[in-house]
Every structure is written in C-alpha cells, then in structure tokens.
Amino acid sequence: MAEISQGGQFYIELCQNPIQFEPFSKVTNVFFDDSNRQVFCVRSGGATGVVVKGPDDKTNINFRMEDRGDVISVKFSSDMKILAVQRSQKSVEFVNFFDGMDTMEYSQSCKGKSTKIIGFSWVSANEIVFITDHGIEYYQVIPEKRNLRSMKAFSVPINWFVWLPKDAVLLLSSGPLGNIIHPFLFKQGNVFRLPKFEVDLPLIPKPPRLCLLERDVTMAKIYDQLYIVVLRHQPRSASAGNIGAEIVLYQLQKESPARKTDVLRLDLSGRFAVNIVDNLILVHHQASKTSMMFDIKVEGQSDGYVTYHQAILAPTPIKPVKLSQQVVQPIGAPDVAEVSCELYSPNWIVFQPNIVIDAKLGCLWYVTLNLEPTAQMITDKKRLIDFLLQRKECKKLVLSVCKQMMLPGQQVALPVFAKVFDKLNKVYRNYLEAEAQAQTAETTGKQEAKRLSIPPQALIDQSDMYTHVFTVFVDNKEIYYKFTVAVLIEYIRSLNSHQIPVQHYLYELVINTLVQHGCYYQLHQFLQYHVLSDSKPIACLLLSLENFYPPAYQLALDMLKRLSTATEEIIEVLLSKQQLLQALRFVKSVGYVDGVSARKFLDAALGTKDIMIFYTVFKFFEQRNVRLRGTPKFPSGERCEKYVKHMEATFGSEALTAINPS
C-alpha cells in the first residue's frame, strides 16, 4: 500500500454543510428514516412536538401529535402524504398529511396474538411492510378510507432485518446463529422471495447462540450489482493465518443463492462501520480513528472463486471538521463559534450509502471523496488510472495525471504509457460501439437507445488528449523531442489497435516535431511504412514542407494517389507546380477527362507563358469537345472565349479548326 504524503492530505471528507438537528436528550428522542433521509426529533411531554429535517426544504416539517406513549419508530411515506408511527410491538398508527395534518389516526395490528413487530418500512407511497418476529406482512395503505389491505404474508422466524430502500430489498435473519439469510424483493405491488443462503462464520460457539448480528450486515449497490456486505470478526492469530477482521461480499442472485465473490482484508480488529461512496467501500475503524478504501474492480488475488482485496491506500483519517454552533457571548461579541467535532465518535451511527449521524451532537453528514490526493498517494500509474476511470467526475484528474507523466523528472517508461493509453482507449472504443448501437436501436425502443448513448464516467477522446495533455510537448521545451515522438506514436498505436480512426492533428504534431529537429529520414520512414496513415490534411502538410525537404512533394503526391478520393486535390497540386502535361496524363489514367474543368487547365497553361504547352492543352480539350458534342467549339457555359482568342492570335484562325487525331 502507498504511504500517505507528509502534506497531510485527506481523501475522505465530511460534507461542509451538515444537517443539524436537536440532539438526543432525556426529553428528545432522535429517529432516522433512511428511505427519505429524514431525521425526526420527537420531544415528549404533553402534546408531542416533532421536528423533521431532511435533505432539502421540501422534506423539512414541524408538527405536533397527541402523546399516546413513547415512539418506537416514525417515518413518512415517499410522497410525504402519510405518517406512520409505531408506539407498541403490536400495531402501527397512521396519520394523513394531505392538506396539513389530519387529527384522526388509524392503525393496523400485526397478525397473531404472540407476534411482535420488530420494525416497518415503506415500500412505496402507499405500500408498507411490517417485519415481525414471525415473518413479514405486506399491506396497501388506503388513506381515503383510513385503513390497510393485506396483500401478502410470509412466515419466517426472524432475529433481525436489514432494508435497502432504493432497491426495495429486505434481508431477514433466521436460525440459532443468525446466519441463514432470506432475501425479499419488492416491486410494483408484488413481493418476490429470493433463494435463501447461509453466511459463513469464522467460529461457531458451543452451545450455538446468535453470533451474526444486525450491526455486522448491510446491503449496498456496487457497480450496479446488489451485494450483502458482512463483517466477520476473527481472533488475531498469526499461527492461524489471520490477523484481524475481514469483510465478505455476497452478490445477490435472483435465481440462485447469493454468491460469495469478494473478501476485503482489514488486518485490524475492533469496531467497524461501512459506507459506500462512488462504488468504493469505505471501512471506518473506531479504535485507530482511520478509514480504509477498497475497490472491487481493482485487481486482487483470486482462488478462482473469490477475489481477495487489500486496501487501495494506507488507513487514513477523515479530514478534520468544525461545526458552527450558537453560544452565549458577552454583548457585542459574535454568537457563533467554530467547534471541532470528534471524528469516529462512539456516538456515530452509519447509514447507507454515505451517511454518518451523531445523535448526541445533532449532526448528519454525507461522506464525500476528494480524489486529488489519491493521484499522489497511488504511485503505480497503471493502478491509479484503473482506479480513477471508475470514479465519477474524474476526467479532469485523469488528464492531469497523464500530463504529469510526461513532465521532466516525472516521466514514466514507454510500456507504462502503452498500458495507460490502452485503458483509456478501451473505454473510448466501448463508447463508440455503444453509440453506434444506439443509432441503430430502433427495434429496442428509444429508452434502450438513450441508455446505450450515455457516455461513460471518463470518456477521454483524441481531442481531450491533444488539448489537455499533448500540448505540454509544445509548451515545455525541456521535453526531449525523441520522447515526444515515442509517446505520440504509442498513442497512435493504441488508437489503431482499438480500431479508432486517428485524427489528422495527432499526425501533424508528430510531423512538425520531426521537421523542427530535422528528422526527415525518420519522417520518410514513418510515411513509407504507413506509421502515419494517409489523409488529405497530412498530404497538404507534406506539400508545405517541400522547401525544407524536397522529397516531401512526391510523398504527398503518392499519398493523394493512394487515397483514390483526392483527384481534384492532385490536379490542383500539379497545376500549382505548372506540371500540366503530367496533370493531363493523370486525368486520363483515372478516367476523369470528361469531368475536369477546361477553363482551369487553360488558365494554368496561359500562366506558364509557354506557347507549346498552351497549344497542347487547348488541343486536348478541343478533342474532348469533338468527342462529346461533335464540334471543336467550347460551349458558352465554360467561358473559354479568352483562350480561344489567344489561340487564334498566337497560331492563326486555321489552328482552331485543325483537329489532331488522339
């Protein structure tokens, strides 16, 4: 693992503007609804006052409700129109919030006299699931009638449950050890029971007792796949081959039991908490007050079934954070003070994907990433690019890393460039293919076409590389030109290997670099062996180099001929060099005699001031006129009167009617 730089950089941060609420106290209970991301502060005594703080103003609300006992749980429906309150283990009360709070409550009891409600979760705006110690009960809430309709129930002895709101997946724990997991998927008024599976335990106690606890299990969506994330505590024993806890990932399957895919080696023991940010697994360790970062897309060690991962970087603390708080001050003094917050506090409670709550402090933070320090911490550039390409909004940083690799004192070996360019162009090529599929996705519908054409997180094309990276070769004169050429050729090689057409400005940069340093032989070799592909812009550039390197003219002409779509350009080149007879031979060789402009040739012939060349060109087009129209005269549309008069003045009127056989 890379060492942390001495600059004190932090790649994990808490948001600058946390949601602040009334802290937990003897008179105030604090609840969190992870579906709507709302904090409920419930004050007891008389009429119960409730202050709700959410991610935005629309989810902030204050109200009062009658005190009917201690509140166990409270949550709004997703549309904020129904409030559910649990005050006992037997029932849940509901209050309508259509145009303000309805004073009339209605309730739903669980089924069975001995059944107890462990918790509940809103599945949609009008669907709710009760999790009891005997299973789950799925209801439709009908606010207009102030009642609930039972939709489905499953009988499963339950120890605890875990709910993933965004994907509506519920995990139930059963068995004496708590390691038999029953997944349920809720979708559009239906609930689907997925295959149960068993979580491996490092040590089974005797006699058996509950040892897989709710706090050690969470669910997360990582790289668009659902995973059950299980923390396994192991005794620190070097002789046993393990030196601390580990996290095991089980990928959820619809048709078969969840599959164990990845193991994250923590190499520490104690209390841990997990967040998911930008598809990275952040593991917070309370004892050391540090966090570790894992990326399951970065290559690890595999036994053919499970991949074992080490942290991307050394354990690092979260960036220190201060909190603005109201304080009592003398008159005239500021009443707001900056207070340092205790990081990794025992009061911290972590929710998915990226939420940390300190109920005693009265703060909810979102965990965020600062990727810039990672560019210095991860010294292996290939691994760094692998890591960055998976992150959101990483394009600017990836380009910066590529540019840094080319600066004197920081340059890397050519094979490293090859690997990095291939990684970038693989993403580039995949996007081009997806875009092509999107354009022809008429049979799959507009939604599929739209999905296919969404660019990846780090689409870096040739224009980006030229503008933001390769310009360093022009701006920094300390870079050795041979290094410049080698890197550019390597990038061109990578584009070709991924079947991406190379833009002419990359070739121009190579050619200009070689010309500036007089490397004409190398340029000749690159062109001769098609390292630089044929194109009209390159041919024009070669023509401009004729004064410096005379063979460039013939190289350009040969390139234009190979293109087979540059007939007009070749004619223009030959005429500009006053090589009219060669131009006539060329148009005959490509079968373009009937399409060429007589006026253009006659004007060029006149410009040579060579009467025999003019005579030859004039007779060439006279013969074309006879073949096409049966007369040697030029049609008025060609506007050749000027040249006819010159022919007559130079050779006499008899020359106009003399037609030499072709």
Side-chain angles (χ1 to χ4, degrees):
M1 293 185 291
E3 293 298 326
I4 304 169
S5 68
Q6 297 300 315
Q9 294 178 309
F10 304 91
Y11 58 82
I12 304 176
E13 301 178 354
L14 301 180
C15 64
Q16 294 295 315
N17 299 306
I19 297 173
Q20 294 185 253
F21 53 89
E22 185 177 351
F24 172 82
S25 66
K26 291 181 179 179
V27 296
T28 302
N29 277 329
V30 177
F31 303 92
F32 180 66
D33 172 18
D34 54 354
S35 295
N36 293 330
R37 298 190 173 189
Q38 290 176 308
V39 178
F40 289 76
C41 300
V42 182
R43 292 179 65 91
S44 58
T48 304
V50 182
V51 178
V52 184
K53 294 288 188 74
D56 50 51
D57 292 338
K58 293 180 181 179
T59 52
N60 293 340
I61 187 171
N62 297 343
F63 61 91
R64 301 182 75 83
M65 58 186 183
E66 188 176 342
D67 189 355
R68 296 184 180 177
D70 292 339
V71 174
I72 299 173
S73 182
V74 55
K75 299 174 184 179
F76 271 112
S77 59
S78 59
D79 59 3
M80 298 283 291
K81 291 184 177 180
I82 308 171
L83 178 71
V85 184
Q86 182 186 355
R87 295 189 178 93
S88 76
Q89 294 183 322
K90 300 300 295 182
S91 66
V92 177
E93 282 75 43
F94 297 88
V95 183
N96 294 339
F97 269 75
F98 294 138
D99 299 311
M101 183 176 176
D102 192 336
T103 56
M104 185 178 295
E105 293 187 2
Y106 50 101
S107 68
Q108 176 65 48
S109 299
C110 59
K111 299 174 182 178
K113 292 183 179 181
S114 62
T115 303
K116 296 178 182 179
I117 298 175
I118 300 174
F120 68 89
S121 293
W122 285 98
V123 175
S124 67
N126 64 342
E127 293 172 1
I128 197 167
V129 58
F130 292 179
I131 299 95
T132 73
D133 56 355
H134 284 65
I136 62 174
E137 301 173 13
Y138 187 29
Y139 294 97
Q140 179 186 19
V141 183
I142 308 171
E144 298 82 4
K145 297 182 179 181
R146 294 189 176 87
N147 63 24
L148 281 75
R149 180 175 69 87
S150 177
M151 298 173 68
K152 207 153 190 177
F154 292 89
S155 178
V156 181
I158 296 174
N159 299 308
W160 46 261
F161 73 95
V162 175
W163 170 249
L164 185 63
K166 190 173 181 180
D167 295 279
V169 178
L170 178 67
L171 296 185
L172 305 179
S173 159
S174 69
L177 303 174
N179 65 330
I180 307 299
I181 305 298
H182 306 262
F184 291 84
L185 173 64
F186 295 83
K187 197 171 185 179
Q188 298 177 344
N190 292 313
V191 56
F192 303 94
R193 187 170 188 171
L194 305 182
K196 68 179 180 180
F197 67 99
E198 183 175 337
V199 172
D200 296 335
L201 298 175
L203 186 65
I204 298 176
K206 294 182 181 181
R209 66 176 185 275
L210 186 64
C211 51
L212 183 62
L213 306 177
E214 178 188 350
R215 69 186 183 202
D216 296 329
V217 178
T218 188
M219 272 190 294
K221 199 162 194 178
I222 308 170
Y223 294 114
D224 294 323
Q225 296 291 331
L226 284 172
Y227 289 92
I228 296 97
V229 182
V230 180
L231 174 63
R232 289 179 17 141
H233 298 278
Q234 300 183 104
R236 294 177 68 92
S237 170
S239 60
N242 49 56
I243 55 171
E246 62 185 21
I247 287 177
V248 183
L249 301 187
Y250 292 85
Q251 188 176 330
L252 201 61
Q253 314 280 320
K254 288 187 177 180
E255 305 297 333
S256 57
R259 183 170 61 89
K260 183 177 176 180
T261 58
D262 298 86
V263 173
L264 315 181
R265 294 277 170 77
L266 304 182
D267 296 339
L268 293 169
S269 296
R271 184 177 174 186
F272 299 90
V274 175
N275 279 132
I276 309 296
V277 182
D278 201 2
N279 291 313
L280 293 170
I281 303 167
L282 304 182
V283 184
H284 311 296
H285 184 232
Q286 186 184 21
S288 65
K289 295 187 181 297
T290 59
S291 298
M292 290 167 278
M293 180 167 65
F294 294 87
D295 185 355
I296 61 174
K297 277 289 182 75
V298 172
E299 187 178 354
Q301 293 181 337
S302 175
D303 61 7
Y305 301 95
V306 177
T307 304
Y308 296 85
H309 302 269
Q310 297 290 338
I312 295 291
L313 295 165
T316 309
I318 295 172
K319 183 179 180 180
V321 62
K322 291 187 176 182
L323 190 66
S324 298
Q325 288 190 336
Q326 298 286 333
V327 294
V328 178
Q329 296 277 25
I331 296 174
D335 58 355
V336 176
E338 293 285 329
V339 179
S340 295
C341 300
E342 181 188 356
L343 299 180
Y344 304 92
S345 165
N347 302 318
W348 273 18
I349 303 174
V350 171
F351 293 91
Q352 297 311 314
N354 63 331
I355 293 172
V356 171
I357 295 178
D358 190 325
K360 285 194 174 181
L361 190 62
C363 263
L364 180 152
W365 290 279
Y366 295 106
V367 181
T368 62
L369 290 176
N370 178 15
L371 290 176
E372 287 192 18
T374 64
Q376 302 300 324
M377 297 176 181
I378 303 176
T379 56
D380 184 334
K381 298 303 181 185
K382 292 178 287 185
R383 198 174 189 217
L384 173 61
I385 293 296
D386 266 341
F387 170 76
L388 291 178
L389 286 177
Q390 305 296 336
R391 311 282 75 82
K392 294 177 181 176
E393 300 178 3
C394 65
K395 183 172 181 176
K396 183 178 178 181
L397 185 54
V398 170
L399 290 169
S400 176
V401 170
C402 290
K403 185 175 181 179
Q404 186 184 56
M405 290 163 56
M406 299 174 187
L407 295 174
Q410 303 179 65
Q411 292 172 355
V412 300
L414 208 58
V416 177
F417 279 111
K419 293 285 187 182
V420 169
F421 291 155
D422 284 343
K423 291 176 189 299
L424 298 180
N425 289 327
K426 182 179 180 181
V427 176
Y428 187 9
R429 180 62 194 172
N430 290 343
Y431 170 67
L432 293 177
E433 289 178 351
E435 195 176 45
Q437 291 174 18
Q439 292 174 356
T440 57
E442 299 176 1
T443 56
T444 57
K446 293 182 179 179
Q447 283 297 110
E448 177 68 6
K450 185 177 180 182
R451 182 190 67 79
L452 287 169
S453 62
I454 296 174
Q457 294 173 168
L459 174 61
I460 296 176
D461 59 21
Q462 298 171 70
S463 175
D464 296 320
M465 291 294 290
Y466 182 81
T467 305
H468 301 289
V469 179
F470 295 142
T471 50
V472 72
F473 296 138
V474 178
D475 301 334
N476 193 321
K477 303 303 181 184
E478 294 181 11
I479 300 176
Y480 189 40
Y481 77 92
K482 287 188 177 181
F483 176 81
T484 297
V485 173
V487 171
L488 291 171
I489 293 299
E490 190 56 55
Y491 184 66
I492 291 169
R493 189 270 324 153
S494 179
L495 290 170
N496 286 327
S497 69
H498 287 86
Q499 299 178 322
I500 301 171
V502 182
Q503 296 297 319
H504 66 87
Y505 46 74
L506 293 174
Y507 291 137
E508 288 176 3
L509 188 53
V510 174
I511 293 171
N512 288 332
T513 302
L514 292 171
V515 170
Q516 286 171 12
H517 293 85
C519 302
Y520 298 113
Y521 177 74
Q522 189 175 359
L523 172 60
H524 202 121
Q525 293 289 97
F526 281 169
L527 293 166
Q528 186 175 355
Y529 293 102
H530 304 292
V531 175
L532 307 179
S533 299
D534 297 342
S535 72
K536 291 179 183 179
I538 297 304
C540 292
L541 177 59
L542 290 172
L543 288 170
S544 70
L545 298 176
E546 184 185 4
N547 291 336
F548 304 99
Y549 184 54
Y553 169 75
Q554 191 59 45
L555 289 171
L557 207 58
D558 293 342
M559 182 178 289
L560 290 171
K561 289 178 180 177
R562 288 195 299 270
L563 287 169
S564 73
T565 58
T567 300
E568 288 289 348
E569 287 82 357
I570 293 173
I571 292 171
E572 291 290 345
V573 170
L574 292 171
L575 293 183
S576 69
K577 303 290 289 184
Q578 296 189 338
Q579 296 179 353
L580 276 76
L581 300 183
Q582 292 94 319
L584 290 176
R585 284 195 291 270
F586 171 72
V587 296
K588 288 180 71 175
S589 68
V590 296
Y592 192 54
V593 173
D594 295 349
V596 75
S597 167
R599 186 178 174 218
K600 180 184 291 186
F601 269 77
L602 290 169
D603 191 60
L606 196 61
T608 65
K609 303 187 185 308
D610 185 324
I611 61 173
M612 293 313 298
I613 288 179
F614 180 82
Y615 181 87
T616 303
V617 172
F618 191 92
K619 289 302 176 182
F620 178 88
F621 286 103
E622 262 193 342
Q623 292 171 16
R624 185 182 74 169
N625 293 339
V626 170
R627 181 170 51 81
L628 293 178
R629 288 177 287 276
T631 174
K633 293 183 178 181
F634 290 91
S636 59
E638 289 191 352
R639 296 183 293 171
C640 291
E641 295 83 2
K642 170 184 174 182
Y643 311 109
V644 173
K645 289 179 180 179
H646 181 75
M647 183 71 174
E648 186 177 8
T650 305
F651 296 100
S653 57
E654 297 82 1
L656 296 176
T657 56
I659 304 176
N660 297 325
S662 57

